[in-house]
Every structure is written in structure tokens, then in C-alpha cells.
Amino acid sequence: MFSKTCEYGIRATIFIASQSYQDNRVGLKDIAQKIDSPEAFTAKILQILSKNNIIHSIKGVGGGFEIPKKGMSQIKLIQIVSAIDGDRVFTGCGLGLSHCSEEHPCPVHDKFKIIRNELTFMLENTNLEELALGIKSGDTFLRY
């Protein structure tokens, strides 16, 4: 459903948030390693997330990436997805057709619309804090 860039962006944001809960800033190399992503690719993703005010980039000695604890509950997954993938996942055809609508539906249009609505609801109602706390507690994982 999401692009590879978006998947890595979600993983990176969750990892940064989990580290921020422990008052740690994390560097590019550590993030790329922990989310199993190429470093140069991760750098581009982090730049997008930073420009969209989802993560904060601190330069210099002791710098790195962080997310203020007090703001984590306000960051919803939909913000990350929209920053990286735009609205493609919310408006695109389930079969990838360029022209699919209520008036001219593809064979899976009505069934995919239900899934898309459920996905939108989940993304709008899932915040970064709950995901970071799952990593911190050891209940969830970012890699095997």
C-alpha cells in the first residue's frame, strides 16, 4: 500500500520517537542500521520528515534527530504518509488504473474503497506516542 520510501519513513520516525523517549538524539548511521535502510536513502527520507516538521534535526556536536516528547501524541501516522507519499494511497485506484472513479469504477473499486476508508481511519487515529511506547516496552519491533 505504501511506497518503500514511506515504509522506511514510518520506521525511522518510530525509531527516533522511541529514542527521544529515552532523551537520546540519534544519528543517521544508527537510524539507517536500526531500520535496515541504505544510509543515503535514509538521509533523503529524514530530510523530507524534517522539512515537514515531523522530526527535528540538530546540527553539531551532540546533534542528531529527535522528536519532542510533548509533541508525539499530536503526530499522527497520516502526517508521515502524506509528507512522503502524498494522497496517492487515499485517492488511487486499487488496481493502479489511471482512470477509476465512482462513475467509471475498476473491478475492485467498491471493495477497495472500504479498505481505503479503514486505512485512513487507522492513520488518522494512530499517534506516534503509542507506537514509540510499544517499541520502548518491547511489545513491538522494527526489525526481526
Side-chain angles (χ1 to χ4, degrees), residues 48-64:
I48 293 168
L49 294 170
S50 184
K51 282 183 181 178
N52 283 275
N53 297 312
I54 295 167
I55 63 172
H56 295 159
S57 173
I58 312 299
K59 297 183 194 265
V61 178

Side-chain angles (χ1 to χ4, degrees), residues 7 12 28 31 73 96:
E7 290 174 8
L28 171 61
I31 296 167
S73 65

